[in-house]
Amino acid sequence: RFYLGGLSMGGMGTYEMLRRQPNTFAAAFAICGGDHVKNVRKYAKKVDLWIFHGAKDDVVIPEFSLLIHEELKRLGAKPKYTVYPDANHNSWDPAFKEPELLPWLFSHKK
């Protein structure tokens, strides 16, 4: 059971690791991250992903997460996607308070 997660630049790193090693991780989460949409096909249906973002993020724009979410769905994946309407870049505060995050994460295995 290997899990992957990160926030901000670490969220971007999460997507990069998924792109490079899509068969390694049982599940992953990205908080206020981003990726190039063309990379999504490399990990779309290989790992379950939960994406978090603050709607008022002025450091990493929320559209980055939205585009990844939409592309994952278009490719047949079923990602979880949570946007916090009042959160800025520190959307990791509410994300880590999600009561289902760890149970969801640890429910996955390969």
Side-chain angles (χ1 to χ4, degrees):
R1 294 184 183 196
F2 290 109
Y3 306 105
L4 180 63
L7 52 99
S8 191
M9 188 166 274
M12 294 175 189
T14 295
Y15 294 121
E16 180 66 16
M17 287 297 297
L18 292 176
R19 181 185 69 78
R20 290 178 184 215
Q21 301 205 3
N23 298 310
T24 300
F25 303 97
F29 64 90
I31 305 171
C32 59
D35 192 11
H36 194 287
V37 176
K38 290 182 180 180
N39 290 333
V40 174
R41 66 180 168 75
K42 295 177 182 172
Y43 54 83
K45 293 171 72 176
K46 297 182 179 178
V47 61
D48 285 328
L49 184 61
W50 193 343
I51 301 166
F52 300 92
H53 218 113
K56 296 180 179 178
D57 195 330
D58 60 357
V59 177
V60 178
I61 60 172
E63 287 77 16
F64 287 169
S65 288
L66 176 62
L67 291 171
I68 293 167
H69 176 251
E70 289 175 346
E71 184 68 3
L72 284 165
K73 287 187 352 181
R74 189 186 74 75
L75 294 169
K78 296 179 180 168
K80 291 178 70 74
Y81 179 62
T82 303
V83 175
Y84 300 106
D86 296 321
N88 196 317
H89 189 57
N90 71 330
S91 56
W92 51 84
D93 287 343
F96 285 127
K97 289 179 185 174
E98 285 287 342
E100 290 303 311
L101 176 58
L102 292 180
W104 173 84
L105 192 67
F106 298 148
S107 73
H108 293 84
K109 62 183 176 181
K110 281 196 172 184

